[in-house]
């Protein structure tokens, strides 16, 4: 059975991503397997743009690194069924078509200009308050947080983790798949 959720324990709190396996199976496998292997543990949110998105997943912390579980980069899984229609959409960061690695971002608002450019692989299942808090941190001129926000541990789960996101920021989205967003590596 495939992992359905990934829990991220960070210095700002805990959030959980629900994976959209039906639409983007290779991308979901990549995120879940990197988490299982400890790839994200100790990495930072290297880019935060208030009222836009927060980005992480680069082991170098520069926004220029990271590889997929497939070795290097892998192809996009773009679908018309997923759009960047609101906050909490999880998409792969990239540097152009078919350049997905380990980096991803979470939207803080609707970003329809990213549709068709970034693979949407999930949504924030719980802990949206944590994502919003990360989106409000002070940054430098390059959008890098002045005080690091670190991912202590990422762990994949079959079904929602029993302890969710530990309280604050819990959201529930019903009615099917929430449309999604996208962003580029920097």
């Amino acid at each position: 059975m495939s992992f359905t959720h990934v829990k991220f324990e960070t210095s700002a709190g805990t959030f959980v991503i629900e994976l959209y396996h039906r639409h983007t199976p290779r991308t979901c496998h990549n995120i879940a397997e990197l988490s299982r292997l400890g790839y994200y543990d100790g990495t930072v949110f290297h880019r935060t743009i208030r009222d836009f998105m927060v980005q992480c997943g680069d082991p170098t912390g520069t926004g220029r690194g990271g590889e997929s579980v497939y070795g290097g980069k892998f192809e996009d899984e773009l679908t018309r069924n997923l759009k960047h229609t609101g906050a909490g959409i999880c998409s792969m960061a990239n540097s152009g078509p078919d350049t997905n690695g380990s980096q991803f971002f979470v939207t803080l608002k609707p970003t329809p200009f990213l549709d068709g450019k970034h693979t949407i692989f999930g949504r924030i299942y719980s802990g949206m308050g944590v994502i919003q808090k990360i989106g409000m941190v002070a940054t430098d001129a390059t959008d890098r947080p002045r005080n690091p926000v670190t991912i202590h541990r990422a762990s994949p789960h079959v079904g929602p983790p029993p302890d969710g996101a530990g309280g604050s920021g819990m959201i529930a989205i019903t009615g099917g798949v929430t449309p999604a967003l996208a962003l580029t590596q920097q």
Side-chain angles (χ1 to χ4, degrees):
M1 171 158 245
S2 297
F3 292 113
T4 60
H5 295 74
V6 178
K7 179 179 177 180
F8 289 85
E9 300 169 55
T10 78
S11 57
T14 299
F15 65 92
V16 176
I17 295 175
E18 177 183 0
L19 301 173
Y20 291 160
H21 278 283
R22 193 173 101 222
H23 297 287
T24 57
R26 284 180 51 83
T27 304
C28 290
H29 174 76
N30 181 61
I31 295 292
E33 187 63 10
L34 288 174
S35 298
R36 188 186 70 76
L37 295 170
Y39 191 86
Y40 293 121
D41 299 358
T43 62
V44 298
F45 281 83
H46 63 271
R47 188 173 181 214
T48 300
I49 302 175
R50 191 174 297 221
D51 297 322
F52 177 39
M53 65 85 208
V54 298
Q55 186 172 337
C56 62
D58 175 6
T60 71
T62 64
R64 293 191 171 91
E67 292 189 354
S68 74
V69 294
Y70 308 112
K73 308 298 181 191
F74 70 101
E75 68 281 353
D76 294 323
E77 290 181 293
L78 303 173
T79 172
R80 293 177 205 203
N81 296 323
L82 300 175
K83 307 279 184 199
H84 297 95
T85 58
I89 304 300
C90 303
S91 294
M92 294 303 290
N94 62 45
S95 56
D98 302 322
T99 59
N100 300 296
S102 61
Q103 293 186 48
F104 66 93
F105 63 94
V106 181
T107 60
L108 298 172
K109 70 175 196 173
T111 54
F113 55 91
L114 297 173
D115 293 347
K117 297 176 185 170
H118 297 268
T119 298
I120 296 165
F121 64 87
R123 69 167 177 103
I124 298 299
Y125 174 81
S126 63
M128 189 61 200
V130 173
I131 296 297
Q132 291 168 328
K133 183 164 56 169
I134 296 169
M136 297 295 289
V137 300
T139 59
D140 64 18
T142 65
D143 302 316
R144 183 175 187 80
R146 291 188 187 280
N147 296 307
V149 178
T150 304
I151 296 172
H152 297 305
R153 182 169 185 261
S155 57
H157 297 265
V158 176
D163 56 350
S168 77
M170 196 78 159
I171 62 167
I173 298 176
T174 59
V177 175
T178 300
L181 154 86
L183 178 73
T184 59
Q185 280 179 275
Q186 293 229 80

